[in-house]
Each structure stands twice: as structure tokens, then as C-alpha cells.
Amino acid sequence: MIFKGSSLFAETILPEIPSAVTTIYTDSNEPRIPAIAVACGSQVLVYRNVRPYFKFTLPLLENGDTESTSVETDIWRQKSDTQQLVQLLEELSIEYGFSRLSSPSQKLLAMNPEERENFLKMFGHLQIKKQVTITCMTKISKMMEGEKVVECLIVATESSDLFVLDPETFSVTEQRKIPGVVTHMVAQGIYIVDYFLIFSVRCGAVYKLKRDEQEIKCLTNLSSLPIDLALDFDRFVIINMDSTFQSYNLKGSKEWSILLDGIPTALSVMPPYISESTFIIACNTTKKEIIEGVVYIYKGTELLHKLHVQEPIQTFIYGPYGFGEQAFIFNTTNGGLSIKLLKRTAQFGSGDKCATLGSSLQQNIKLLIPKKSKIFVEQTLREREQCKNMYAWFQKSWQGMKILTCESYLNALQNSTVSDNSGLKLTAQILGLGPRLKLEAQLENICTDELMTDVSVTFLYDSEVYSIENAYINIPFVIPNYEYKFATFINCCLNISESHINIIVCHKNKVILSAIVNMPSEINSGNTSFVLLTAVVPQTQ
Amino acid sequence: MGLLDKLIGAFGLKKKEARILVLGLNNSGKSTLLNQLKNEDSKIISEVVPTVGFNVEKFKNQNVGFTAFDMSGQGRYRELWENYYKDCEGIIFVIDSSDKLRLAVVKDELDLLIQHPDIVAKCIPILFLANKKDLRDGMSSIKIASSLHLERIQDKPWHICTTNALSGEGLQEGIQWLTQQICDKFK
């Protein structure tokens, strides 16, 4: 679809799902009318004046892949029954890799078994050809710099190839092998003079390709997969799946990184004559379970502007639209298309400095260093002379503090009866004659309105005397006014006259309740003893 | 008009000069419009090219001689406009009625114009011309007036009419109104 102004201008049906679209100047005729290049499957279709102008078809694959292709063709030609064919193809895919099979084979293998028969009836007679699929396309000026000059198309494919197409001669001028399947690609320079290409591949690495250089340099390996890539004069910026917005220089070292609020979807750089190093990022954030789009405008690391959009943004482009106005055009996930124009009086001055994840900001922080006073000088001298003593003293007090912490923690474990805002009631009972006893306990939330989650029950006991079978009991949540019963067996190993077990109720890592259960004194005497203990935690709200 | 002419003659103000500004976005038809108003002999027959900076054009309507500053409407030249606000006696604001998208930009520029300190204090007539009425998807003058919120301009006389700068249709009506306003002011 082609839009003019705010209304639909023309509509053309494409043969396949397009993977990339760009405008391109194909010749030097006047007046300068750009053509529209659409990458579809293995073809680049070029339209002019809303009519098909010509198409490039990328050459079929060569070298290493021919072997698998020929085997595959043989398999298909034999026309065995479906089951056999699928089996043979599966073997082939294990041997050569699924991605090297032709698209009909891939389709067949990925299909439901019952649909395969039908598929073969319809397409079984066709010849097997391995097609290349375009993943990414960009353009570069061919002869000279400037606006509205003849441009070349750079196309990357699923088979890790890079093609340079010349629209003037309608031919492929260059073909290179690259180390991965390109997801995003930006080019700068002039094709016949000097240019470079920065591209990210599926595994999250970013490479740089230069004219006249055989080697393709790996600039960086990203921490997360890239969503969009853009070039800004002497740096490139990337938005990632981990919601970071990062900037790298052309040598591949990171300049800064900003954590975005939401998942970014698209990135664009403003042209330098409007404002230098100004980036536009579309993000989708979830607020109260509603996903909404936010557009951020950053100048370097400074947040300049925030624009809220009611619906989640799918993608956007930024650039001149119509009569030289800077337009921001985005479409939302439910199919809406919106155009926003940049105000002429827009200021790209100061904004809020954003906290960066990189090191650059940390270097900028001014440290508060007081002036050297007399005491300070004396102290330094003393520190220098008596460093050993001071260190020993420090260690001692450090140990002391550790002990103190441990003691108070232990104390809290044994004596804690206070909870923050919940009222829990614990009732415990020892049943049995011994040496095997049963501990039965009831936990009740006496709070009326609070639901407790992540509650666990554990025991504090002398491990030489007792062994508890189920020493850790987890209670996912405690509903108010309902008694939770739990039980565990306790084995008594030694005959000790008097002993007790601490029951501890924890919430996450915090002890909120503890109760002491007195164990029967003479276990083997045959007396059944009931020990009832109730601990009620006051509600402190 | 005969009576008015006599009156002006009696006051010894036979011929009056008025400086007016012609404003509007690029490609709205300002230069074409002024070209239509000029004398037959000084008209440009060939295609009108985008104005760079500004052009000064002179034309006459009734007994008022107009000096029109045809300002360029391109984004980068729009900052020039405000330099001429100080000594102008009338404004012609040309709008491309077929450009729905940039109506928001027109509104923006208009807001900047009427809020400018040199304009706020002055009571000068503003003539809005909804140009390109011949185009299929052109909007009506009422629709433009409502989307630009022209009704909020209360301290200045304004008028809107649809025109076709290529044929000159509707242009005379607008200029007539402007001349009338300027004459009224002189009295």
C-alpha cells in the first residue's frame, strides 16, 4: 500500500510476504522519482510509478550445498510412499542440518503427519529447488554523496550470503559469504569509493564489513539479542531484548547503555541537521495489565521527550514526509497508522540525564573530597605508622560484630513471638509412646483480612537426641480462619530425661513465630503424654 | 466606492500604500497567488519555483497600492517571518486545503503568529485563503476554519475564502475584503 498525505494512494498485491522495503533511486533521469524496492522471498521487486519495473532474482545456491540438494532431489524423484519419504528426509536433515533442506522438504517435515499425504499429492510433482530467502535489505549510494543519487541495494539472505545489486545494470555486482544470518544491517559510504556495513546476526553478534577487506570483523557480542540497529555518524546504537539501549563506537567498544522502561520495538536516528545524536525509541510498557506504547526521544543519554500512545507500537519510521516536514510514522499492533509531525520550534536542548549502566557516567560523578585538615594529616601519618595494629583492631571488632549478629539472630530464632502484620496461632501436640513419636500441629491465621503466603515450618532441635523425618514443611498460603494441620514423625535416639523442640514458623526468610514443645520425659516408660502448647501472636497492625 | 473615493480625495489621501505579509506553508500557493494579482506584463508565465527567503511584489487594488512580502514557506525560512511582523498592515495566510496532514502544522504556525508580541498588540486584518479549491480532496473553508479554531481570534478582523490561485477564482473577493479593512483603518 502506498499512502500520500493521509489518504491511501495505491495498493499493490505482492506474491509473497515481504521481508524488507525501501525507496531507491535507480537512474539519473530527471525528474528524480524514486522507485520502491520490496524484498519478497528470493526476489527483489522494484516498482516505479506504482507499476512493476523489474525484479532481481537471487542466484541459486552453489558449493557445499549442492550435495545435499542433489540427494534431496533424488529422494523426491524416487516417489516412494509418504512414510518412506519422510523418513529419508529426516535422515538427511540430521546429516546436513534442517536449514539446508529445500523449503518443500522443510514444510513437509514440519507438517502434521495426516496432512503430509495431501501436500505430496498437490506438490509432489514439482522439481526441488533450493531457494534463498532474503532476510534483510539496505541501500547505499553508488557513485557520489548527496541526496537523490543513484543507489545500490545490499541484500542478505538466510543462507548467510550478501549480495550487492546494481539497479542501473540490473545485475548482481558482488557476492560475499558472511558469518551468520543477518537480522539488521546499516551501510554508510559510497559503493565504488569506500563504504562499510555494520550488521547483526541471529546469535547476537555485531560485525563490520569494509570494502577491500576480506576479513569481516566481529565488533561485539551482545548480551542479548538485538531488536534494532541504527548508525549515527561515528557510532552505532542498538536496542536489545533485555530492554537496554546501547551505544558502541565503530571499533566495537561500548560507550554507554541505558535501561529502558519496557520492551523496545524500533529505533531511529534523527538527521544531524535537525539535531545531533538524537535517537527515537518506541517501547511497549505494561501498565496495570494494559500494554501501551511510549516513544522516547534521547539526545545521547539524556531523555528529551516522552510521548504516550494508547496502543502498543509495532514499528515506526522517522524521516521527511511530503514537503520536508520531519514526520514520525508508526503503526500499532491492531493495525492503526499514525503520523506525527515534528514542530518547527522543537528544542533539543537540555533534558534529564538518564542513569547509564556503562562506566561513562560513573567517571563523571564528582567525589566529595574534603580539604586536608590537620587532623586528617595526623590520621594519615598514624595510619601509615601503625597499620598493623589498626588492621588487627579492625579485624577484632569485625569479628565481634559478626558474633553479635549471630547471637542476636539466634536469640530472635528462639524468642521471636512478634510478627509484622499477621496473627498466627500455632497449636502443637505430641502423640505416641516413643521412641517413635508423632508431632501434630495446627496453624491458623487469626487475621480476618490478610492472606499469608510462603509460610514454612521448621524445627530447632538437638540432632543427637532426635531425628525428625519431615524437618521442613512448606505451606503455600494460609487462608484466614482455617486450621492447617500438619504432622511429622520424630524418632528418639537417646533416652534423655528432659528435652524440648522448637517449632519455627518462617515467612520467606523471616522468623515470625516460634513455639517450644516439651517432649515427654520418660519415653520408654509407657505413659502417653500430651503436651499442649498454644502460642498466639498478637496482631500488630 | 465612489463616495469613499471622494472622501479620500477630500482628505488629500488619494493614494495609499499598505505593506502586507503573505504567509503560509511551502507549496500552499503564495507565489502563484501573487503572480495572479500582478499586472499582465510582469506576470511569470512559466512554472513558479519555490521561493528562497522572500520576494517583494507590488500590486494595486482600487486606490490602495500593496507592497506584498512573499515569504518563503519552507521550514528553514519560517523563522524569517517574525522579522517582518513589526511593520505590516495586513496578513494574507494561504492554506493548502488539500493537505489534510499538514493542517496541524498550519495551526502550529498560526498559533505562533497570533501569539507573537508584535502581532498581539496590533489590530491588523488577517485574510485566510483556502487555496487549491479545484483539487478533488480539498476541504471546505468552514472545515478549515473550525480545525484551525479561527473563532478564537476576536481582537482582529479576519476573513476566510476559498481560492484557486491558478485561475484566480475567489481571489478578488478576498483582496476586496482586505482593501476594505485597510481603508477603514485609514479613516
Side-chain angles (χ1 to χ4, degrees):
Chain A
M1 288 185 179
I2 301 168
F3 282 87
K4 182 181 182 179
S6 55
S7 51
L8 185 68
F9 179 65
E11 204 173 332
T12 314
I13 294 166
L14 296 171
E16 267 180 85
I17 298 166
S19 57
V21 61
T22 182
T23 56
I24 178 176
Y25 287 93
T26 53
D27 49 34
S28 42
N29 295 345
E30 290 286 342
R32 311 290 297 142
I33 301 169
I36 299 171
V38 187
C40 268
S42 65
Q43 293 170 336
V44 180
L45 308 165
V46 181
Y47 290 87
R48 278 193 85 161
N49 298 324
V50 211
R51 275 186 211 93
Y53 181 53
F54 66 89
K55 72 175 180 191
F56 287 116
T57 305
L58 294 183
L60 294 175
L61 291 181
E62 305 160 19
N63 56 51
D65 288 335
T66 42
E67 196 187 334
S68 65
T69 316
S70 63
V71 176
E72 203 184 330
T73 321
D74 283 342
I75 294 171
W76 276 82
R77 210 178 289 144
Q78 278 162 12
K79 288 252 165 94
S80 46
D81 62 294
T82 319
Q83 209 138 27
Q84 214 173 340
L85 179 70
V86 170
Q87 203 183 343
L88 283 169
L89 284 175
E90 261 166 10
E91 278 167 19
L92 198 71
S93 87
I94 291 163
E95 197 176 333
Y96 292 101
F98 186 74
S99 62
R100 287 190 159 186
L101 296 182
S102 66
S103 52
S105 310
Q106 285 179 351
K107 219 170 183 176
L108 186 74
L109 289 182
M111 218 173 246
N112 285 332
E114 56 266 30
E115 287 170 9
R116 282 176 180 155
E117 197 83 48
N118 240 340
F119 177 78
L120 279 180
K121 253 183 218 160
M122 281 173 79
F123 305 108
H125 59 279
L126 295 176
Q127 209 186 345
I128 292 303
K129 254 190 218 158
K130 190 122 184 244
Q131 292 219 307
V132 282
T133 311
I134 296 169
T135 58
C136 196
M137 179 167 73
T138 188
K139 61 182 179 181
I140 187 171
S141 50
K142 189 186 171 193
M143 307 276 228
M144 51 188 160
E145 248 179 287
E147 281 178 23
K148 300 185 179 182
V149 292
V150 181
E151 287 157 328
C152 287
L153 283 174
I154 302 173
V155 167
T157 68
E158 191 78 45
S159 55
S160 309
D161 280 302
L162 195 76
F163 296 95
V164 181
L165 310 174
D166 184 354
E168 274 189 312
T169 56
F170 310 109
S171 61
V172 175
T173 52
E174 200 179 325
Q175 182 179 358
R176 282 180 89 157
K177 201 84 192 156
I178 43 173
V181 182
V182 177
T183 54
H184 301 93
M185 171 160 71
V186 280
Q188 189 170 295
I190 300 160
Y191 178 63
I192 58 160
V193 185
D194 192 21
Y195 71 94
F196 65 85
L197 195 69
I198 287 177
F199 58 89
S200 63
V201 296
R202 284 226 177 112
C203 62
V206 180
Y207 292 91
K208 182 180 177 183
L209 180 148
K210 267 182 149 176
R211 186 193 150 86
D212 307 326
E213 268 180 36
Q214 267 310 308
E215 194 198 1
I216 296 171
K217 237 191 273 171
C218 178
L219 292 182
T220 178
N221 276 303
L222 297 172
S223 54
S224 169
L225 295 181
I227 293 172
D228 209 348
L229 176 76
L231 201 63
D232 171 42
F233 183 55
D234 59 351
R235 63 158 73 100
F236 64 93
V237 282
I238 289 180
I239 44 174
N240 289 329
M241 296 279 269
D242 60 356
S243 297
T244 54
F245 168 45
Q246 301 177 337
S247 162
Y248 293 84
N249 66 12
L250 292 182
K251 288 196 175 87
S253 44
K254 194 195 258 182
E255 284 177 333
W256 40 261
S257 170
I258 298 170
L259 194 65
L260 296 168
D261 180 23
I263 299 156
T265 54
L267 165 74
S268 186
V269 179
M270 275 199 192
Y273 61 86
I274 302 281
S275 176
E276 272 180 20
S277 54
T278 307
F279 315 104
I280 309 165
I281 302 164
C283 272
N284 288 333
T285 53
T286 314
K287 255 184 209 160
K288 292 171 194 152
E289 293 176 6
I290 299 164
I291 306 171
E292 61 164 25
V294 192
V295 180
Y296 295 102
I297 300 174
Y298 279 97
K299 188 182 178 98
T301 56
E302 273 172 59
L303 181 61
L304 286 186
H305 190 65
K306 222 176 175 184
L307 188 89
H308 286 273
V309 182
Q310 292 306 313
E311 289 144 11
I313 299 169
Q314 198 160 37
T315 185
F316 77 86
I317 52 167
Y318 176 84
Y321 185 61
F323 285 95
E325 307 287 340
Q326 292 294 313
F328 171 79
I329 306 171
F330 60 92
N331 69 336
T332 51
T333 44
N334 60 1
L337 183 77
S338 309
I339 303 171
K340 289 197 186 287
L341 299 175
L342 182 73
K343 265 193 181 182
R344 177 173 64 89
T345 48
Q347 295 285 319
F348 297 99
S350 59
D352 299 327
K353 199 103 182 168
C354 196
T356 51
L357 299 174
S359 57
S360 60
L361 194 77
Q362 282 155 11
Q363 287 164 1
N364 292 338
I365 297 171
K366 263 194 176 176
L367 293 174
L368 276 169
I369 301 168
K371 279 179 186 165
K372 280 182 188 169
S373 61
K374 202 183 166 191
I375 300 166
F376 174 79
V377 178
E378 278 172 11
Q379 176 71 10
T380 353
L381 273 176
R382 207 162 67 84
E383 272 174 14
R384 211 174 289 164
E385 283 160 9
Q386 303 182 334
C387 50
K388 268 186 189 168
N389 279 344
M390 284 174 113
Y391 182 71
W393 183 245
F394 166 75
Q395 283 294 330
K396 200 181 163 191
S397 25
W398 178 240
Q399 293 290 343
M401 202 175 85
K402 271 186 178 171
I403 292 166
L404 205 70
T405 327
C406 290
E407 272 176 354
S408 46
Y409 184 65
L410 206 68
N411 203 19
L413 277 183
Q414 284 162 349
N415 302 328
S416 168
T417 47
V418 200
S419 84
D420 28 22
N421 53 3
S422 56
L424 278 179
K425 189 175 150 190
L426 183 74
T427 320
Q429 221 171 2
I430 299 287
L431 304 172
L433 303 169
R436 197 168 154 82
L437 298 162
K438 190 181 183 186
L439 188 145
E440 229 177 57
Q442 282 113 31
L443 190 69
E444 191 186 345
N445 190 354
I446 55 172
C447 227
T448 45
D449 52 348
E450 192 111 4
L451 182 77
M452 288 207 69
T453 53
D454 289 333
V455 176
S456 56
V457 176
T458 186
F459 306 94
L460 209 67
Y461 58 96
D462 193 345
S463 58
E464 284 180 2
V465 185
Y466 303 109
S467 72
I468 295 179
E469 279 181 11
N470 206 356
Y472 179 83
I473 298 158
N474 191 27
I475 300 164
F477 46 85
V478 187
I479 301 169
N481 301 323
Y482 180 81
E483 274 193 359
Y484 283 82
K485 281 186 185 161
F486 55 90
T488 180
F489 285 106
I490 302 168
N491 287 323
C492 201
C493 315
L494 282 174
N495 194 2
I496 276 183
S497 59
E498 217 170 282
S499 174
H500 56 80
I501 289 177
N502 266 15
I503 306 177
I504 292 166
V505 181
C506 303
H507 177 245
K508 284 167 187 165
N509 294 325
K510 234 161 76 187
V511 174
I512 53 169
L513 180 64
S514 85
I516 299 169
V517 180
N518 287 321
M519 297 305 284
S521 49
E522 289 165 13
I523 282 169
N524 292 333
S525 68
N527 288 342
T528 316
S529 65
F530 285 93
V531 181
L532 194 76
L533 189 134
T534 310
V536 176
V537 183
Q539 202 168 341
T540 55
Q541 254 179 352
Chain B
M1 279 292 143
L3 182 69
L4 191 73
D5 278 358
K6 271 179 204 159
L7 266 173
I8 290 166
F11 280 105
L13 302 161
K14 188 73 197 156
K15 222 175 164 199
K16 200 58 218 171
E17 290 289 324
R19 288 155 70 92
I20 55 163
L21 282 180
V22 184
L23 307 175
L25 301 190
N26 44 340
N27 200 48
S28 57
K30 297 175 294 300
S31 302
T32 318
L33 207 132
L34 281 175
N35 195 28
Q36 199 57 244
L37 288 171
K38 275 193 286 189
N39 292 332
E40 283 303 321
D41 48 336
S42 57
K43 246 182 206 174
I44 308 165
I45 312 215
S46 61
E47 221 170 278
V48 176
V49 292
T51 310
V52 175
F54 70 94
N55 287 331
V56 183
E57 309 283 359
K58 280 185 190 214
F59 65 92
K60 238 186 92 180
N61 188 276
Q62 291 161 29
N63 55 346
V64 181
F66 285 100
T67 310
F69 286 82
D70 176 16
M71 308 303 294
S72 172
Q74 288 170 43
R76 54 173 173 261
Y77 294 117
R78 277 181 220 156
E79 280 158 38
L80 273 177
W81 293 3
E82 58 186 43
N83 299 329
Y84 298 88
Y85 289 167
K86 211 159 206 160
D87 44 20
C88 73
E89 286 142 278
I91 290 172
I92 299 179
F93 203 96
V94 189
I95 302 149
D96 179 352
S97 61
S98 68
D99 195 352
K100 285 191 193 104
L101 179 66
R102 290 207 299 166
L103 208 61
V105 184
V106 173
K107 187 173 177 297
D108 232 48
E109 294 295 346
L110 184 66
D111 287 349
L112 286 174
L113 167 72
I114 58 176
Q115 279 156 18
H116 194 274
D118 286 347
I119 296 291
V120 165
K122 268 207 258 186
C123 179
I124 52 167
I126 306 175
L127 172 64
F128 294 96
L129 297 180
N131 200 15
K132 305 194 186 180
K133 69 186 245 184
D134 52 318
L135 289 184
R136 196 161 47 90
D137 47 356
M139 288 173 284
S140 68
S141 58
I142 298 159
K143 204 172 168 193
I144 291 176
S146 65
S147 39
L148 293 181
H149 297 293
L150 291 186
E151 70 281 352
R152 73 209 146 115
I153 310 173
Q154 282 169 350
D155 54 342
K156 295 179 195 41
W158 61 268
H159 181 73
I160 183 161
C161 57
T162 53
T163 57
N164 175 6
L166 289 173
S167 63
E169 205 184 329
L171 197 53
Q172 218 50 45
E173 182 208 331
I175 298 299
Q176 210 88 27
W177 177 85
L178 191 68
T179 317
Q180 186 70 47
Q181 287 294 329
I182 286 169
C183 285
D184 284 357
K185 236 174 102 184
F186 287 143
K187 274 199 290 179

